[in-house]
Amino acid sequence: PPDVAYSAPEPLPLVQTSRDSGRWYVIIDTKTHGERLFFLDSGYARTTCDDDFVDELGLDTAGLVFVRGIGGTLIASKAKLPTLHAGGHEISDFACIVRDLNQTSSIKDPLEVAVAGVIGADLLSRFVTEIDTARGDVRLIEPSRTQPLTGTDVIPLRRAGRAGTRFLVAASIAGTS
């Protein structure tokens, strides 16, 4: 997991793109690399960077990572990201999976801006993540700053099994769990 220097949370605007009006993206002002658009997906186990974003930053890629999805398995690599500033926090010592999102996922670049990557559970799990579509933002809150959250609008993520990066979400739909 990444190292996080926590600070007061700053809202990350939620947006939808011209090519994807049914899912949420966040705008992250990385400070050193400007504002970037990331798909927000707590179901992605590992944060993923588009290969064009990694090339633009001049990052080296290394290693082999097997990414398993509904369409099968593909081979990707990893890149260590420079320090990012997201939601008021400084995130460092963080690697992302590198792949061509336009070719290997349902995430397509809209006309207005390229998608830099996917924010996954490996990053979100370092925070209490508050998603408020009515307010139109996401807040990444330092876990020690919050009381234990309960209620019907709180979904705790739990690890699937004893190890690994996959998460489970408990749900009850029409009385069936």
Side-chain angles (χ1 to χ4, degrees):
D3 290 332
V4 178
Y6 296 102
S7 188
E10 298 172 5
L12 295 172
L14 276 173
V15 297
Q16 294 173 316
T17 71
S18 60
R19 292 185 75 178
D20 195 357
S21 62
R23 300 188 293 182
W24 293 106
Y25 293 75
V26 291
I27 299 169
I28 294 180
D29 185 354
T30 65
K31 304 290 187 227
T32 54
H33 304 289
E35 289 186 346
R36 301 300 175 130
L37 182 69
F38 285 85
F39 179 59
L40 180 66
D41 190 348
S42 62
Y44 258 58
R46 303 268 316 263
T47 295
T48 301
C49 296
D50 186 73
D51 57 348
D52 291 336
F53 175 60
V54 169
D55 288 346
E56 183 183 335
L57 297 182
L59 303 177
D60 293 326
T61 59
L64 294 177
V65 178
F66 296 94
V67 179
R68 291 170 186 85
I70 195 164
T73 300
L74 65 96
I75 298 172
S77 60
K78 294 188 291 186
K80 185 174 180 183
L81 291 170
T83 298
L84 297 175
H85 298 269
H89 313 286
E90 186 176 275
I91 301 162
S92 60
D93 198 25
F94 188 39
C96 65
I97 304 296
V98 179
R99 62 190 247 215
D100 183 343
L101 290 174
N102 278 296
Q103 296 298 316
T104 64
S105 77
S106 63
I107 301 162
K108 306 299 181 206
D109 284 338
L111 298 175
E112 57 270 23
V113 64
V115 177
V118 180
I119 301 296
D122 56 344
L123 177 59
L124 295 176
S125 67
R126 304 288 289 154
F127 302 94
V128 172
T129 304
E130 181 182 286
I131 302 170
D132 189 328
T133 57
R135 196 174 56 218
D137 66 26
V138 174
R139 292 172 197 249
L140 303 174
I141 304 164
E142 180 181 359
S144 66
R145 290 188 179 208
T146 64
Q147 298 296 321
L149 300 174
T150 59
T152 58
D153 57 346
V154 174
I155 303 172
L157 294 178
R158 293 184 175 82
R159 288 213 177 270
R162 296 177 204 232
T165 56
R166 302 208 86 157
F167 290 88
L168 297 175
V169 176
S172 178
I173 300 170
T176 303
S177 295

